[in-house]
Amino acid sequence: MAFLPPFSPVRASANPDFVVQCLFMDMTEQLKRQANRLLILVALVGILGLSFACGLKTAPELWTLKAVLESHAGDPLPPLGEVLAYLEREYYGPLPAGPVLTHGAIRGMLETLDDPHAQLIEPQNNVSAVEIFTGKYGDIGADLSWQDGWRLVPYPAGPAAEAGILPGERLWRLDGQDVSALTQAELKARLSGPVGSQVTLELERGCARYTQSLTRAEVLHPSVLAYRLAPEIGYLRLTQITEGTFEEARQALDNWPELQGLVLDLRGNAGGVVSALPALAGLFLPEGKTLYYEIRRTGTRPIQVQGDEGPFTGKLIVLIDPQTASAAEILASALQAYQRAELFGQASAGKASMQIAYPLADGATIVLTNALWEDPLHRSVAPQGITPDRVLAPEPAGQEDPVLQAALEALPAP
Amino acid sequence: MRKVVLGLIAFALVLMLSTAAFLGGLLVGRNTAAPLPSPTPVVPGSTVTPSPATGSPTPTPDARLNYALLQETLDLINSEFYGKIPDASKLTYGAIRGMLNTLGDPYTSFIEPDVARIINEDASGQFEGIGATVRMREDGYLEVVRPLAGQPAEKAGLKAGDLIVEVDGKSIVGMGLYEALNLIRGKAGTQVTLKVLRENEKDPLTFTITRARIEMPIVEYRMLDNGIGYISLSEFDAKATQRVDDAIKALQEQGMEALIFDLRDNPGGWLDQALGVADLFLKDGVIAIERSSDGQEQVFKAHAGDRAEAIRMVVLVNGGSASASEIVAGALQDRGRAILIGQNTLGKGSVQRPHDLSDGSQLRVTIARWFTPNDRSIHGNGLKPDIEVQIPENTPAGEDPQLQRALEYLQQGQ
């Protein structure tokens, strides 16, 4: 028996019995086709609707993502910008101002360095740390001392001296604000500011209070204390090493042409500007000698003594203590290495690293260790410090200074 | 052939139309606002909300960070720094952490990719590993705190107090906890070889353990005397509600008439799980109120139909009960549903939302504060227990005066 395909129209017309059936089937087929069309239409609408819904559902996320991505274009530290974008959108509470966030990020970067000296210093009164290091900032030119309150001791030259302020005048107010609760560092920071800016002081002379306005100027902050211990014995105390130290020390030495011996006191000197050292060392060492070796990631190079006048050649004794650090140690170590001086006192701090102070555009300063140094004999001071030729412990406060005494005894008798 | 071509054309047409519909959806959805990437679980200790915020403002262009300064800092470090320059990612993570530090919110935090992977697993309630709780000791050794009963670590013979020193031949001493965990965990069915130091064993022991899928045992329950059931929950992971409900069911089948629910030292977890757990004990009404800083408020309510809505109960809390634990305890206390026995809770009333960042790290942003049904803020204050019970220092191991007091209360009604 042959299999008859039921939908064959030929067969259908040939067999009347099949006609009804086939008519019916035609109808079914039509219906089915219509149903199919309907189905396709429904499916199409369904697919389109679904696509639309998907789009609608994805939209917020996608647009957010786009916004987030756009908002941190130019971020040099991805995903830092993403983080900030999320904070801006939904953080509970106000966000700190831009500079605070930026400085926070910089501090965080510095903390990942294995460098105990790395830090970010905020500008004080618009004066950056670099300006303070180099002494190139505006100031009124006066020391501070405390006696029932803050008192001014004007430098020989500077705005305070020019205005006629006398040593010991009491400072009551600064720009209208009471200063009695400020620390010395805070008050110093408030007295300094950009060169040319104004500061108003309320002072007391005798029993009268008066107000004095001063224009801040770049003043030389003295870093050298110089006097004679005997007619032919000089004493130079370097409190820190600034760009002005060389000039101050040179002037003192020029004033003493008959000098036989000199005490160079570096006790308590925490260092300062390394670039001031070659000229300063030229007061005691011949030009061209290696002062120290600077070791950087890119290599080691010798830094040489500079000088054109010829050094002091008399007997030299250098005093050091545990606070003698960094640039002061470089100087002491070189003088010891060339046997140019005898070192008296206690072992120095032992700081063999050097830092760069890098001013940022917004006034903050990044401090970063950028080199190590070794003395002319390739000795490093870390961590033990320089061992003095004569170890001498200081007496308790208020007593005679036995270290200075020993130095005096070691110098040629007058 | 023609049919195939027609079919292809039709298919392409449908594809185009549905793409158009999808894009249409995207466009329309642009204004429905805002939007968040799908949330992911986070470590216990913070309450996270999986519910998207509604209608946050359009993101503002990121003008808060000074990218030029960050670039300058990077350049400075690269050109000047003496020492090992950290990986770019380490510097980036430092910057992100430094920026987040300026917010003064310890709960807005950044999690590095390695750590994010582990805590995502932990918060999901299951992971693939050896099934032991461990801790990183201060001396850099990874110590097994407890091998979980019936899990691979215990079956292989690992014991509490063992120190894991090597994983697959690699030393992990001094490694970060999460880095070590990433080595120990791995796909179920794979093997890991551990070298272990054990007290009184001269030589290190070696264990080869087949990893398995581990469910974290966050719920412990047992029947105490007089029909009093005890359930402790150690964190609100993604399955917390289900597991507490299972425990209630099991205890009710044993004839539980009253319940002690222990949330001591539970640092929190998912917000939706906190709501779910609180709902198990509440028929209706408010569980907690969440407020964002722009004043938007979301009130979370309980629904009837849970098996523990009428049972007499006490909740145990202490200073380690935080976040999600405080939501549950605060709701039950405010609604008069349970009294709290123990010590003052931690006081973490903020809600964080997690975001996965493009490099696999995770950011958790504090987006809101939550309040108890009586609109109490617990932020910083914590919840004060109705009956305060301290644990004296000389309490013998195995004694639990807080649990004891809870039993007394349920038995005597006071």
Side-chain angles (χ1 to χ4, degrees):
Chain A
M1 212 175 105
F3 172 71
L4 299 179
F7 293 107
S8 160
V10 183
R11 282 287 166 189
S13 55
N15 186 342
D17 282 350
F18 262 78
V19 173
V20 177
Q21 202 181 341
C22 284
L23 273 177
F24 178 68
M25 281 195 166
D26 274 349
M27 276 175 67
T28 325
E29 205 170 351
Q30 254 178 352
L31 268 175
K32 269 197 175 168
R33 276 190 190 147
Q34 274 179 1
N36 273 347
R37 274 189 209 128
L38 202 68
L39 207 70
I40 287 170
L41 202 68
V42 167
L44 202 65
V45 169
I47 287 171
L48 294 188
L50 211 67
S51 301
F52 185 79
C54 279
L56 205 64
K57 193 164 169 358
T58 319
E61 210 166 296
L62 212 69
W63 287 114
T64 301
L65 196 67
K66 185 169 169 283
V68 167
L69 287 174
E70 273 170 3
S71 69
H72 65 82
D75 168 16
L77 296 161
L80 179 70
E82 267 175 89
V83 169
L84 185 58
Y86 282 122
L87 292 180
E88 287 189 325
R89 246 209 357 263
E90 62 187 32
Y91 177 65
Y92 183 92
L95 287 179
V100 176
L101 289 168
T102 305
H103 286 180
I106 291 174
R107 285 209 169 82
M109 286 164 79
L110 296 179
E111 271 168 27
T112 66
L113 306 178
D114 187 15
D115 180 3
H117 300 288
Q119 60 169 321
L120 179 76
I121 304 174
E122 302 283 342
Q124 290 195 334
N125 243 15
N126 294 321
V127 180
S128 78
V130 170
E131 290 166 315
I132 290 172
F133 284 151
T134 55
K136 285 182 177 160
Y137 61 96
D139 195 3
I140 63 161
D143 265 334
L144 294 167
S145 71
W146 177 269
Q147 195 191 326
D148 307 322
W150 287 116
R151 290 170 189 276
L152 295 180
V153 184
Y155 300 156
E162 280 154 29
I165 295 173
L166 301 175
E169 286 189 20
R170 173 142 185 208
L171 175 61
W172 283 97
R173 287 169 181 278
L174 189 156
D175 289 334
Q177 281 195 309
D178 188 10
V179 299
S180 54
L182 297 179
T183 65
Q184 183 162 358
E186 284 167 348
L187 185 51
K188 261 193 176 157
R190 293 216 192 163
L191 285 169
S192 54
V195 172
S197 61
Q198 291 267 323
V199 62
T200 304
L201 309 178
E202 190 181 309
L203 295 157
E204 186 182 299
R205 180 184 299 169
C207 289
R209 287 204 201 180
Y210 69 105
T211 303
Q212 176 76 51
S213 284
L214 299 175
T215 303
R216 294 185 181 100
E218 200 177 290
V219 293
L220 195 65
H221 296 266
S223 61
V224 175
L225 187 67
Y227 54 88
R228 269 193 271 201
L229 296 165
E232 286 153 355
I233 307 290
Y235 174 85
L236 280 185
R237 177 171 204 141
L238 310 189
T239 53
Q240 56 176 327
I241 292 166
T242 69
E243 289 187 345
T245 305
F246 162 69
E247 195 54 39
E248 291 174 72
R250 192 187 60 81
Q251 276 177 16
L253 289 176
D254 283 354
N255 288 340
W256 302 330
E258 69 285 11
L259 213 60
Q260 302 284 310
L262 178 69
V263 177
L264 180 65
D265 193 349
L266 295 177
R267 290 176 299 178
N269 185 325
V273 185
V274 179
S275 60
L277 277 179
L280 183 61
L283 295 174
F284 312 105
L285 288 170
E287 184 181 10
K289 288 242 185 202
T290 296
L291 175 60
Y292 65 97
Y293 290 97
E294 184 188 84
I295 305 160
R296 305 185 58 146
R297 238 176 42 228
T298 48
T300 300
R301 65 180 183 125
I303 307 295
Q304 278 149 1
V305 176
Q306 289 169 9
D308 42 14
E309 294 182 28
F312 164 74
T313 51
K315 187 156 170 133
L316 183 62
I317 288 182
V318 176
L319 310 186
I320 56 171
D321 71 1
Q323 280 72 51
T324 306
S326 200
E329 283 181 292
I330 294 181
L331 182 59
S333 200
L335 292 173
Q336 189 188 44
Y338 291 117
Q339 299 182 330
R340 173 67 191 86
E342 275 191 279
L343 270 51
F344 284 19
Q346 294 167 280
S348 63
K351 179 167 175 287
S353 64
M354 304 204 290
Q355 283 73 37
I356 185 174
Y358 181 89
L360 291 173
D362 68 347
T365 304
I366 291 178
V367 175
L368 199 64
T369 296
N370 69 335
L372 301 184
W373 65 270
E374 285 174 357
D375 81 356
L377 304 177
H378 285 291
R379 296 183 298 185
S380 170
V381 291
Q384 74 287 344
I386 307 167
T387 310
D389 301 295
R390 271 180 72 183
V391 179
L392 294 162
E395 290 295 306
Q399 307 259 332
E400 283 268 291
D401 181 347
V403 183
L404 181 58
Q405 206 54 46
L408 261 178
E409 282 161 18
L411 287 168
Chain B
M1 189 64 199
R2 213 176 123 231
K3 267 190 176 171
V4 173
V5 173
L6 275 176
L8 275 177
I9 290 174
F11 181 71
L13 215 68
V14 169
L15 206 70
M16 274 168 63
L17 280 173
S18 75
T19 309
F22 180 78
L23 291 176
L26 278 186
L27 270 174
V28 172
R30 181 179 199 169
N31 303 323
T32 62
L36 295 155
S38 59
T40 46
V42 296
V43 273
S46 74
T47 305
V48 293
T49 172
S51 59
T54 44
S56 1
T58 328
T60 46
D62 178 355
R64 286 173 179 270
L65 272 181
N66 187 335
Y67 285 147
L69 283 191
L70 297 182
Q71 186 62 56
E72 219 175 332
T73 306
L74 267 181
D75 294 345
L76 179 71
I77 289 170
N78 282 322
S79 65
E80 293 287 340
F81 179 56
Y82 184 88
K84 190 176 173 294
I85 294 174
D87 298 345
S89 64
K90 202 177 164 205
L91 279 164
T92 299
Y93 298 153
I96 292 172
R97 292 222 164 82
M99 181 174 78
L100 294 181
N101 277 346
T102 65
L103 304 184
D105 170 27
Y107 300 112
T108 293
S109 59
F110 174 78
I111 299 148
E112 293 177 19
D114 268 6
V115 181
R117 207 174 309 131
I118 296 280
I119 62 179
N120 281 349
E121 282 179 5
D122 286 357
S124 74
Q126 57 181 21
F127 61 92
E128 291 173 319
I130 62 168
T133 55
V134 294
R135 71 179 185 108
M136 185 56 79
R137 302 204 318 191
E138 270 174 30
D139 58 8
Y141 284 98
L142 191 73
E143 181 187 325
V144 175
V145 176
R146 188 164 63 103
L148 303 178
Q151 299 298 347
E154 192 206 44
K155 285 184 196 159
L158 223 56
K159 288 185 176 158
D162 285 353
L163 303 180
I164 302 174
V165 291
E166 267 183 27
V167 178
D168 289 332
K170 191 175 178 193
S171 168
I172 60 160
V173 179
M175 199 181 256
L177 171 65
Y178 290 97
E179 210 182 330
L181 283 178
N182 268 311
L183 292 177
I184 296 171
R185 289 188 184 181
K187 283 249 171 298
T190 59
Q191 288 194 327
V192 60
T193 302
L194 305 181
K195 194 180 267 184
V196 163
L197 301 180
R198 180 174 292 171
E199 210 170 329
N200 300 326
E201 297 279 349
K202 208 168 89 214
D203 298 317
L205 309 172
T206 302
F207 296 93
T208 297
I209 303 172
T210 304
R211 299 181 180 104
R213 176 157 286 273
I214 314 286
E215 293 267 316
M216 231 115 58
I218 54 162
V219 169
E220 276 176 34
Y221 67 92
R222 60 180 181 268
M223 207 60 188
L224 307 174
D225 303 334
N226 302 320
I228 296 173
Y230 170 88
I231 300 175
S232 82
L233 180 68
S234 60
E235 70 176 79
F236 288 83
D237 75 9
K239 295 177 177 175
T241 307
Q242 187 54 50
R243 294 192 194 175
V244 172
D245 193 43
D246 290 346
I248 294 170
K249 186 174 171 227
L251 289 172
Q252 280 178 338
E253 280 164 4
Q254 295 174 46
M256 172 170 68
E257 285 164 12
L259 171 67
I260 297 171
F261 188 41
D262 191 349
L263 290 174
R264 288 177 296 177
D265 294 319
N266 180 327
W270 285 99
L271 175 62
D272 64 338
Q273 294 299 318
L275 300 172
V277 169
D279 196 354
L280 293 175
F281 304 109
L282 291 169
K283 240 201 310 288
D284 51 20
V286 178
I287 298 172
I289 306 159
E290 183 187 296
R291 286 196 191 96
S292 57
S293 56
D294 58 9
Q296 284 188 50
E297 189 175 286
Q298 204 173 350
V299 179
F300 299 106
K301 291 189 169 163
H303 309 280
D306 301 296
R307 54 179 111 248
E309 284 167 357
I311 193 159
R312 248 169 23 98
M313 67 186 292
V314 166
V315 177
L316 293 182
V317 292
N318 66 8
S321 307
S323 197
S325 295
E326 294 176 291
I327 290 182
V328 173
L332 298 178
Q333 187 183 39
D334 269 15
R335 301 284 309 281
R337 185 63 192 81
I339 68 152
L340 309 186
I341 294 181
Q343 290 148 294
N344 211 83
T345 63
L346 182 84
K348 179 184 171 287
S350 61
V351 182
Q352 282 71 42
R353 180 178 295 141
H355 295 289
D356 288 329
L357 303 178
S358 53
D359 68 338
S361 51
Q362 193 180 78
L363 173 73
R364 286 191 271 154
V365 185
T366 299
I367 56 162
R369 290 268 167 92
W370 64 262
F371 300 82
T372 67
N374 293 349
D375 217 351
R376 286 192 290 160
S377 167
I378 60 111
H379 202 77
N381 310 318
L383 296 164
K384 195 176 173 337
D386 301 282
I387 299 175
E388 193 160 329
V389 180
Q390 301 291 335
I391 297 197
E393 272 199 23
N394 53 4
T395 307
E399 272 185 32
D400 186 344
Q402 292 168 342
L403 180 64
Q404 211 49 48
R405 185 67 186 87
L407 270 171
E408 235 174 79
Y409 178 84
L410 287 174
Q411 284 166 354
Q412 298 162 14
Q414 60 179 11

